[in-house]
Amino acid sequence: MSEDTSALGERILLRTATSGDARLAKDVLQRAHFVAHVCDDMHALVSELSRGVGAIMLAEEVIGEMATSELASALALQPPWSDVPVLVLARRGADSRAIANAMDEFANVTVIERPMRVAALVTALRAALRARRRQYELRNLLDGLRDADQRKTEFLATLAHELRNPLAPLSTALSLLSRKKPPPAEAGKYYELMARQVDHMVRLVNDLMEVSRITRGKIDLQLGQVLLDSVIDEAAELSRPLLERGGHALVLDLPSEPLVLRGDAVRLTQVFSNLLNNAAKYSPTPGKVDVIARHEAQHAVVRVVDTGTGIAPDMLHSIFDMFVQVSGTAKAAQGGLGIGLTLVKSLVELHGGTVEAVSDGPGQGATFTVRLPLARLIPSSGRQPPLGTAQTEIKGTVLVVDDNHDAADSLVELLASLGATPIVAYSGEEALQIAHEKIPTLALLDIGMPGMDGCELARRLRAEPWGGALKLIALTGWGQLGLRARIAEAGFDHHLLKPLNLPEFMRLLKHDRAARDREAAANALQAPAP
């Protein structure tokens, strides 16, 4: 049976002049609820130090030069956080040579003259133990900082590795396209490869930004009524490429009754997509992933069950912590920064829910259980379709403004392929001149430009006679809350992060078009009959 380490750390080690004094002192201390341990000699006391000590109490009579030196040498070997209190019970009268030696040798020493009141001794020992407990708190803080620093170091090494991974095939594909100049049919496979690697890098950067925003409390949820099955369908669609690449079967077991949550549909989709991605990455091929949703009391409970590498018992609680990765699973993970579960936990808790992991151990798979409070149950004629990524054609003149020529020119070509009439400018001043001539219906503006930045350009465009009808979209690599507020004040309709997510951009345009159609229909109904 193991000893109670916390009790050992609170012990008073006693070295008295006689065995009778030891029994008396121990009895007094135990009545005051101290843990006292009598040491027969100084060598025994020094041996006990390594097992745990709260304070040391010595009688003046046992302090000799050799004994003092032995104890001082042992105390000098303490870790930096430790400073064991030493209480010396001195005889009445002038300071003796032993007391002088003790005060010279021990850094944290208190001399108490005998005879003393019991209350005075108890008070002194309580003060010493309070100081010792503060030292233990400092030790725990230093240990936590050391562990966090180690995890951060490992994380940065992983980040460098994961960012290099997609860069290698991107560079190779570009070299092949440049050297071989293959026909379109052959070049297609290189384009697909490059698109996959760019998507992977975008996910890595987005995860980093999300973690940063959440840990600083800078994330805003767009709350509304959300159907859980629609969220899971969308998450499954987002994770399907990774699941299929790993040869994993995905089985959805969803209830027939609709489960309605009050939450942010995009963030909840992110939660379950991360869990599915985690299951796919840590499951050997071929594997199976089950998503089981149930209505339990006032909660929707979703279990993501995989046949993967499993989790050791000592990792089940820390697996959600920042920079923590299960050791020995780097190869199985097939890439990633190990922050997906941190995002999951943070987003679930922002929705008032909980998430926990269960596993029978390495090689036994894992089950992640998410509990989210239900808003209310409503009748429904059927499941809503996922959000989808339906494309639509862009019509009209679109102004693209970016001081990065490559970014601007490539976006112009993309918009032209979608049916738009794009015009490009590489500065705010040039954009104003072109806009006066062409009068665009839509403008995508980079924010971080030298000279006139995107926000100032937006204000000037809005001030034009035709500026009120202009649809303004901000494009930026930053997503801080303060910047978002500045963008809104400048008159932008929307804010998108770089690189442009085409499906998101098309859905946004489609949504705006539908809103205009509804407004036009409402105006037509209100117009007086001819």
Side-chain angles (χ1 to χ4, degrees):
M1 184 171 161
S2 62
E3 295 178 281
D4 186 344
T5 55
S6 62
L8 291 173
E10 296 271 326
R11 293 188 306 168
I12 310 297
L13 299 183
L14 296 173
R15 177 74 183 100
T16 56
T18 66
S19 58
D21 289 345
R23 288 193 298 271
L24 178 62
K26 185 175 182 180
D27 183 57
V28 168
L29 295 182
Q30 287 180 336
R31 284 203 302 269
H33 306 293
F34 293 111
V35 179
H37 180 86
V38 176
C39 301
D40 295 333
D41 53 39
M42 193 64 76
H43 182 70
L45 188 149
V46 168
S47 298
E48 287 293 328
L49 284 178
S50 61
R51 299 179 60 233
V53 57
I56 297 170
M57 194 165 77
L58 305 174
E60 178 184 351
E61 292 85 350
V62 303
I63 302 178
E65 289 189 10
M66 289 186 61
T68 302
S69 178
E70 182 180 8
L71 179 57
S73 297
L75 292 176
L77 298 176
Q78 298 176 93
W81 58 266
S82 180
D83 188 17
V84 176
V86 178
L87 283 76
V88 177
L89 306 183
R91 291 173 293 195
R92 182 188 295 273
D95 290 344
S96 66
R97 182 179 178 81
I99 294 297
N101 285 340
M103 295 179 68
D104 288 338
E105 293 285 351
F106 305 142
N108 186 2
V109 61
T110 301
V111 178
I112 303 176
E113 189 176 85
R114 298 176 300 185
M116 81 213 79
R117 291 179 179 273
V118 171
L121 177 62
V122 169
T123 301
L125 285 173
R126 284 178 177 168
L129 287 181
R130 277 198 303 272
R132 186 62 171 163
R133 292 185 193 110
R134 289 292 180 90
Q135 295 173 28
Y136 292 146
E137 292 174 3
L138 177 60
R139 174 196 62 190
N140 295 337
L141 177 61
L142 290 173
D143 288 345
L145 290 173
R146 191 179 300 111
D147 291 344
D149 185 63
Q150 177 64 24
R151 293 199 302 268
K152 190 176 295 185
T153 300
E154 293 173 356
F155 168 78
L156 290 174
T158 302
L159 174 60
H161 176 267
E162 289 304 319
L163 289 176
R164 287 193 191 101
N165 275 347
L167 286 174
L170 275 171
S171 177
T172 302
L174 284 170
S175 297
L176 287 169
L177 289 170
S178 176
R179 292 173 63 86
K180 293 177 62 177
K181 295 183 174 51
E186 183 183 347
K189 63 181 181 181
Y190 298 118
Y191 297 140
E192 291 175 3
L193 179 152
M194 293 167 68
R196 287 195 301 271
Q197 300 307 320
V198 169
D199 287 344
H200 179 60
M201 290 190 70
V202 169
R203 285 196 300 272
L204 293 177
V205 174
N206 284 344
D207 280 353
L208 286 171
M209 293 178 68
E210 289 291 271
V211 168
S212 174
R213 281 196 288 267
I214 290 172
T215 54
R216 291 182 292 116
K218 300 296 186 182
I219 187 169
D220 292 321
L221 296 181
Q222 304 300 315
L223 298 176
Q225 297 288 310
V226 179
L227 281 174
L228 178 63
D229 51 6
S230 296
V231 166
I232 294 175
D233 281 340
E234 178 68 9
E237 192 63 31
L238 290 174
S239 302
R240 195 172 303 281
L242 189 58
L243 290 162
E244 291 178 349
R245 194 157 60 242
H248 306 309
L250 175 62
V251 179
L252 301 182
D253 182 0
L254 308 181
S256 57
E257 59 176 334
L259 301 181
V260 183
L261 311 170
R262 178 166 173 75
D264 186 320
V266 173
R267 299 301 184 181
L268 290 174
T269 298
Q270 189 177 2
V271 165
F272 294 110
S273 179
N274 277 354
L275 289 177
L276 289 173
N277 290 343
N278 187 75
K281 289 192 292 184
Y282 286 95
S283 293
T285 302
K288 182 186 177 187
V289 181
D290 291 282
V291 180
I292 305 165
R294 293 290 183 268
H295 173 202
E296 297 181 8
Q298 300 302 312
H299 288 81
V301 180
V302 182
R303 294 178 176 87
V304 179
V305 186
D306 65 57
T307 56
T309 55
I311 307 168
D314 60 333
M315 293 295 298
L316 286 173
H317 295 292
S318 61
I319 196 171
F320 294 100
D321 293 344
M322 182 76 76
F323 306 135
V324 170
Q325 285 184 294
V326 179
S327 59
T329 59
K331 292 182 179 179
Q334 307 164 41
L337 300 178
I339 57 178
L341 292 180
T342 304
L343 284 173
V344 166
K345 183 174 186 290
S346 300
L347 290 173
V348 168
E349 290 179 348
L350 283 173
H351 282 84
T354 61
V355 60
E356 63 178 354
V358 175
S359 176
D360 291 333
Q364 302 299 310
T367 298
F368 288 84
T369 302
V370 176
R371 295 178 181 274
L372 294 165
L374 287 170
R376 61 187 179 90
L377 295 177
I378 60 171
S380 174
S381 57
R383 189 178 301 168
Q384 288 186 354
L387 297 176
T389 58
Q391 302 288 315
T392 185
E393 191 177 61
I394 302 176
K395 296 181 180 180
T397 302
V398 181
L399 173 64
V400 175
V401 188
D402 198 323
D403 62 309
N404 185 319
H405 287 225
D406 288 342
D409 293 343
S410 58
L411 184 53
V412 162
E413 290 192 28
L414 177 61
L415 293 170
S417 72
L418 295 169
T421 304
I423 51 177
V424 65
Y426 306 112
S427 69
E429 293 78 5
E430 183 185 2
L432 280 177
Q433 181 179 348
I434 293 176
H436 282 126
E437 298 171 0
K438 303 290 186 178
I439 307 185
T441 56
L442 171 65
L444 290 94
L445 311 182
D446 177 37
I447 297 301
M449 295 186 295
M452 185 190 301
D453 68 4
C455 289
E456 177 61 25
L457 175 58
R459 281 190 285 268
R460 295 199 186 185
L461 290 173
R462 279 280 185 241
E464 295 295 333
W466 41 264
L470 176 63
K471 183 69 64 177
L472 284 175
I473 298 178
L475 275 179
T476 177
W478 300 91
Q480 297 99 321
L481 194 62
L483 180 59
R484 288 178 179 272
R486 182 166 164 254
I487 286 170
E489 291 170 0
F492 282 98
D493 297 290
H494 301 288
H495 174 205
L496 297 177
L497 295 177
K498 292 182 177 180
L500 181 69
N501 183 311
L502 184 58
E504 180 184 3
F505 175 58
M506 301 305 288
R507 283 199 299 267
L508 182 150
L509 295 182
K510 188 176 181 180
H511 178 271
D512 286 350
R513 183 178 297 173
R516 287 197 303 271
D517 291 345
R518 287 194 297 270
E519 183 179 355
N523 291 337
L525 288 174
Q526 294 174 3

